[in-house]
Amino acid sequence: MDDQQLATMLRRASYRLLPGRCLICGMASGQAVDLCSGCERELPQNRSCCPICALPIGAEIETLALCGQCQSNPPPFHSCLAPLRYEFPINLLINRFKHHGKFSAGALLAECLLRNLNQQEELPELLIPVPLHWRRLWQRGFNQATWLANYLGRRLDIPVYHRALQRTRYTPQQQGQRRSQRLNNLKGAFHLKGDVSGKTIALVDDVVTTGSTINELSRMLMSGGARRVNVWCLARTPLEK
């Protein structure tokens, strides 16, 4: 039995001794996550999405075509894994985690991501969190992307390269801004500090909205010699949001 299997076994045993409660409805979860089976069935799963950028693209169909953006202007990353859509109640859970430091919500969402990772054949060599500027880090108290990367790294036994990227310029919140404004905000906002030559990388963040940030960082990592960059996030915002 390896360390990962042992950790999983201990986690399940802990929930038998101290049963969890669903973070959505408050009822006993009855399973080894803080989520009951009823609420789990109602989660906005992001199954019908672009196979590259994970943008939700409508009703479920067997074969999904690329979204218009990926067809006309393919992103610098190879794929994006976003198991959930940024809708109720996922938006509330992410808000509790990101803005109120409710790490139980972060752990639940990370477990949802891990369930989808098990379907992937090859895991990356490094996890790299999307960086925060020091001012926002001071305001918030922690970087949610770093917390997620550390959680996933422990569970998957993958090293986290914390200092690979640095946010060198403070920018306004991206949420609620037009795509052109987001792109303008990001010019010169990041710096590649670490050596990523020949590495396969998963870039970790909580939510992908327009993709401006992950595009900029993925381009930077690929220009720095990375062999492959995938994006792992908790949720993807539908285009109309």
Side-chain angles (χ1 to χ4, degrees), residues 51-111:
I52 293 183
C53 74
L55 178 72
I57 56 177
E60 292 192 16
I61 53 178
E62 290 185 6
T63 304
L64 293 174
L66 302 184
C67 69
Q69 182 66 25
C70 286
Q71 289 183 50
S72 61
N73 187 22
F77 55 85
H78 290 74
S79 68
C80 175
L81 178 66
L84 300 161
R85 300 192 306 275
Y86 189 68
E87 297 173 357
F88 179 84
I90 298 306
N91 53 353
L92 297 184
L93 290 173
I94 289 178
N95 183 64
R96 291 178 199 168
F97 164 54
K98 183 174 179 177
H99 297 292
H100 301 282
K102 302 297 184 184
F103 299 123
S104 56
L108 169 59
L109 293 164
E111 289 298 323

